[in-house]
Amino acid sequence: MTDTLHLIAHVGGCGVMFNTDRVASVVELDRAVPAPGAGPAVIGLAAMRSRVATVLDVRQLLGVPPRPTGDGAIGHAVATMVDGHLYAIAVDMLEDVEAVEIAPRPPGMGGASDAAWDFVSGVAERGQETLLALDIDRLVARAGAIE
């Protein structure tokens, strides 16, 4: 595959990448207002530049430890648009934008629930770390489907 520009971030110690074509911005969010009836991957709603964004926590999807409950601050997030709606995907750390060569997602990723990992479009190796290339459309759809 060819090199493409990706924003590299970490969620719960897991290295992830977002195609820069799909990143509207990176933001710092103080808090989110809970959204009654929303799935567990939805932290809540937050105001971003005069718009309301649905704030997502994708830790459960990635199989990493839950978000610390602490003071309720969100911190870093990757803002993106999906079907005309604004989303902010909470991340622990933002690194940089890099040209990364993406390899296909290995078969069997996610074990018996391989289909549940359809939001991972590929992987890349960087030093000693494996980075997951996330398909934003599938990630948002899967985050809404968690029960």
Side-chain angles (χ1 to χ4, degrees):
M1 299 184 106
T2 60
D3 287 357
T4 54
L5 285 177
H6 280 76
L7 172 64
I8 298 173
H10 285 84
V11 177
C14 181
V16 297
M17 301 179 294
F18 300 92
N19 188 311
T20 56
D21 291 343
R22 297 301 311 277
V23 174
S25 63
V26 292
V27 295
E28 190 76 23
L29 297 175
D30 289 329
R31 299 195 183 281
V33 176
V42 177
I43 296 171
L45 304 173
M48 280 180 30
R49 298 186 185 114
S50 302
R51 296 202 50 197
V52 175
T54 302
V55 183
L56 302 176
D57 179 4
V58 297
R59 290 169 177 266
Q60 185 178 3
L61 291 174
L62 294 169
V64 297
R67 185 178 182 75
T69 53
D71 63 2
I74 305 299
H76 303 296
V78 176
T80 188
M81 296 290 291
V82 176
D83 293 333
H85 299 283
L86 183 61
Y87 291 90
I89 302 166
V91 298
D92 299 329
M93 182 176 62
L94 292 164
E95 282 195 31
D96 205 352
V97 173
E98 291 183 22
V100 181
E101 185 174 340
I102 307 294
R105 179 172 58 108
M109 180 177 245
S113 60
D114 190 45
W117 283 71
D118 65 349
F119 60 90
V120 177
S121 58
V123 296
E125 298 297 328
R126 187 178 71 149
Q128 301 295 322
E129 182 178 33
T130 299
L131 303 170
L132 304 178
L134 303 181
D135 179 306
I136 288 179
D137 293 318
R138 289 183 182 153
L139 183 72
V140 168
R142 182 69 61 193
I146 295 177
E147 295 299 328

